[in-house]
């Protein structure tokens, strides 16, 4: 598929960050979306995997929310408020899961709950709460 120019692969300096950040997670910093290289390459191929498209949809929710609130305010709230951070992630996961569900696919919710309750998301929520909420989406 064709991607807009604001969507980038995590190359260059990203490689100096912990491997889980450069290879497993995507980030949105309005107006850009940064994707792990393998997901980016899959998306620009002729037959991208639904899982890759779902990641892009997740990041597009962040992009839209950052645009609406203003990236500066959004980023501050995201950093200082665990509640805001968790809520923003739930909104993004909701779109991701909705898309996968239509194709009879699922997301590994235990893994997502594990990540949300870890340093990756600055411990925004407990594992149990994350899993409960993700299951309700
Ligand atoms: Zn997210």
């Amino acid at each position: 598929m064709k991607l807009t120019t604001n969507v980038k692969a995590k190359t260059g300096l990203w490689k100096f960050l912990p491997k889980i950040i450069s290879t497993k997670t995507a980030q949105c910093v309005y107006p850009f979306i940064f994707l792990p290289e393998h997901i980016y390459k899959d998306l620009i191929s002729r037959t991208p995997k639904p899982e890759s498209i779902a990641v892009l949809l997740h990041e597009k929710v962040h992009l839209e929310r950052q645009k609406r609130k203003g990236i500066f305010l959004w980023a501050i709230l995201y950093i200082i408020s665990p509640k805001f951070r968790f809520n923003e992630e739930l909104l993004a996961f909701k779109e991701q899961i909705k898309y996968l569900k239509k194709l009879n696919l699922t997301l590994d919710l235990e893994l997502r709950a594990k990540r949300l309750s870890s340093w990756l998301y600055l411990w925004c929520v407990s594992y149990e709460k994350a899993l409960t909420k993700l299951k309700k989406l």
Side-chain angles (χ1 to χ4, degrees), residues 58-59 62 89 92 121:
H58 175 122
E59 294 309 317
H62 290 320
E89 291 308 327
Y121 291 93

Side-chain angles (χ1 to χ4, degrees), residues 12-116:
L13 287 173
W14 287 99
K15 302 272 183 232
F16 293 101
L17 289 170
K19 215 169 178 179
I20 186 162
I21 292 180
S22 57
T23 66
K24 303 265 189 252
T25 67
Q27 260 86 38
C28 176
V29 183
Y30 183 81
F32 300 107
I33 289 174
F34 299 97
L35 301 169
E37 209 171 0
H38 70 280
I39 294 180
Y40 181 86
K41 279 184 178 159
D42 182 52
L43 282 172
I44 57 171
S45 74
R46 229 178 312 162
T47 51
K49 294 190 192 91
E51 289 81 1
S52 303
I53 295 172
V55 169
L56 184 63
L57 291 174
H58 175 122
E59 294 309 317
K60 280 190 171 171
V61 172
H62 290 320
L63 190 80
E64 200 42 54
R65 307 266 312 162
Q66 291 175 359
K67 186 181 172 186
R68 223 183 306 161
K69 213 169 197 71
I71 177 61
F72 191 67
L73 181 58
W74 189 94
I76 287 180
L77 287 169
Y78 193 88
I79 291 165
I80 64 167
S81 167
K83 202 176 159 190
F84 179 85
R85 195 155 64 241
F86 184 47
N87 192 47
E88 291 301 302
E89 291 308 327
L90 283 178
L91 290 169
F93 277 120
K94 191 176 180 173
E95 282 305 303
Q96 192 173 0
I97 292 168
K98 196 167 90 186
Y99 175 78
L100 291 170
K101 258 188 194 161
K102 274 192 278 180
L103 302 168
N104 274 324
L105 297 167
T106 52
L107 195 67
D108 183 347
L109 299 182
E110 281 84 10
L111 176 69
R112 273 31 182 224
K114 211 170 124 187
R115 285 189 186 160
L116 282 167

